[in-house]
């Protein structure tokens, strides 16, 4: 009952604060765990907000989606700043407990891959890193099969009289989005006449905010990893810094970037 609710009970603090289980006796392992658990909590909220924005945009309620997208951008800023806290850990600090991680890696984060899928960065190869029958796999599979945030944004263009090819509107959503000159041309019209297409113009800029923040987060991740482990391979078997650096070239909303050179 509401009158019996306490702060600790409402926030399930007994469960939350018992979720940090260091595998060694090294002081800095707790920081490592807290940083990554916090990121997963923020990712849960981001997925919640992007889901809301997708539903609103798909229904044609574009302006109400701005709030959710702006909130995501703010959360992304906080997540990026958290790398500075992790960077207080020296290489010696991290190496003192790194062996306890085994083959676990942020590379395996189902929520981060779900976010990528929801934004439109779809790569089915990440499914294999989730256990068969797990909630993480189900989450990823659902996001893979559904239209992305960019798909529903593109679908708004024809509703405003802008020409978009059928292959961009009716495609296999499990596949990675392929940039289209026709889609770029439609967005270019929006940017050339923002007053006429103000709703779409604002939506496009909100999407660029998300993409910008995601690349900024990745860049800070690269710097932090390089500072702490240098060129060592990742715990999950990846190329470490090499793989992370390669992700800096990814753009979830490609035409919103390329059109800028044609304005």
């Amino acid at each position: 009952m509401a009158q019996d609710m306490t702060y600790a009970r409402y926030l399930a603090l007994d469960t939350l604060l018992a979720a940090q289980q260091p595998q060694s006796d090294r002081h800095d392992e707790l920081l490592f765990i807290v940083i990554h658990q916090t990121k997963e909590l923020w990712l849960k909220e981001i997925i919640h907000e992007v889901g809301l924005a997708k539903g609103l945009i798909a229904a044609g309620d574009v302006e109400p989606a701005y709030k959710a997208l702006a909130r995501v951008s703010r959360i992304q800023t906080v997540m990026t700043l958290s790398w500075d806290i992790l960077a207080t850990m020296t290489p010696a600090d991290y190496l003192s407990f790194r062996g306890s991680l085994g083959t676990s890696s942020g590379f395996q984060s189902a929520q981060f891959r779900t976010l990528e899928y929801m934004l439109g960065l779809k790569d089915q190869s990440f499914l294999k890193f989730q256990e068969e029958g797990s909630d993480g796999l189900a989450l990823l599979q659902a996001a893979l099969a559904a239209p992305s945030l960019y798909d529903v944004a593109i679908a708004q263009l024809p509703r405003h009289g802008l020409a978009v090819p059928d292959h961009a509107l009716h495609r296999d959503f499990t596949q990675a989005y392929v940039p289209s000159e026709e889609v770029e041309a439609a967005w270019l019209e929006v940017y050339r006449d923002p007053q006429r297409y103000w709703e779409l113009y604002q939506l496009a800029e909100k999407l660029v905010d998300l993409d910008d923040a995601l690349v900024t987060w990745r860049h800070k991740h690269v710097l932090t990893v390089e500072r702490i482990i240098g060129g060592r391979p990742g715990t999950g078997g990846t190329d470490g810094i090499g793989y992370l650096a390669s992700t800096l070239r990814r753009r979830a909303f490609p035409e919103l970037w390329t059109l800028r050179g044609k304005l």
Side-chain angles (χ1 to χ4, degrees):
M1 297 175 64
Q3 61 265 33
D4 297 324
M5 185 61 69
T6 66
Y7 177 79
R9 188 175 300 123
Y10 180 74
L11 296 178
L13 291 183
D14 287 346
T15 300
L16 182 65
L17 298 179
Q20 296 74 49
Q21 299 290 329
Q23 301 299 301
S24 74
D25 61 356
R26 309 309 297 176
H27 177 82
D28 285 76
E29 189 178 359
L30 180 61
L31 171 64
F32 189 83
I33 292 172
V34 168
I35 287 286
H36 288 82
Q37 287 184 342
T38 302
K39 288 183 187 299
E40 290 294 331
L41 286 172
W42 280 128
L43 284 168
K44 183 174 183 176
E45 179 63 24
I46 287 176
I47 290 169
H48 185 57
E49 299 295 342
V50 172
L52 173 63
K54 273 184 57 183
L56 290 169
I57 295 168
D61 296 327
V62 176
E63 287 193 24
Y66 298 162
K67 178 182 177 181
L69 297 177
R71 181 175 290 171
V72 170
S73 294
R74 301 298 191 280
I75 295 171
Q76 288 175 298
T77 298
V78 171
M79 290 179 66
T80 298
L81 288 172
S82 71
W83 288 123
D84 287 336
I85 303 173
L86 190 63
T88 64
M89 184 183 299
T90 68
D93 293 332
Y94 177 61
L95 291 175
S96 71
F97 67 84
R98 191 186 191 222
S100 301
L101 274 63
T103 57
S104 67
S105 168
F107 190 80
Q108 302 158 349
S109 171
Q111 288 200 122
F112 184 73
R113 298 308 176 190
T114 294
L115 173 60
E116 286 189 322
Y117 284 4
M118 292 179 78
L119 297 182
L121 297 169
K122 298 194 175 182
D123 182 344
Q124 297 189 39
S125 68
F126 292 121
L127 295 176
K128 66 187 177 186
F129 296 104
Q130 305 303 316
E131 293 182 15
E132 195 65 37
S134 66
D135 291 342
L137 180 59
L139 188 68
L140 265 179
Q141 289 173 328
L144 181 67
S148 70
L149 178 62
Y150 196 40
D151 286 317
V152 298
I154 289 172
Q156 291 304 305
L157 295 170
R159 297 184 183 184
H160 290 75
L162 297 164
V164 175
D166 187 70
H167 67 76
L169 298 171
H170 306 286
R171 66 185 194 85
D172 181 355
F173 295 120
T174 66
Q175 300 302 308
Y177 176 77
V178 177
S180 162
E181 291 183 3
E182 295 94 333
V183 171
E184 182 190 71
W187 283 118
L188 194 55
E189 285 191 52
V190 171
Y191 274 76
R192 284 175 173 162
D193 195 351
Q195 288 187 324
R196 179 180 179 184
Y197 301 110
W198 184 250
E199 185 179 76
L200 293 176
Y201 181 71
Q202 287 294 306
L203 173 60
E205 284 298 287
K206 290 290 188 295
L207 295 181
V208 172
D209 285 344
L210 264 61
D211 226 355
D212 187 317
L214 183 57
V215 175
T216 301
W217 183 89
R218 292 188 196 275
H219 183 253
K220 189 61 178 178
H221 187 189
V222 170
L223 289 178
T224 304
V225 171
E226 185 174 18
R227 175 172 177 162
I228 295 176
I229 69 169
R232 288 172 176 267
T235 51
T238 68
D239 187 27
I241 199 74
Y243 166 75
L244 295 175
S246 73
T247 66
L248 298 177
R249 297 189 293 271
R250 295 178 182 171
R251 297 293 182 273
F253 319 117
E255 291 92 347
L256 298 183
W257 293 92
T258 57
L259 69 83
R260 291 162 196 273
K262 299 180 181 179
L263 285 172

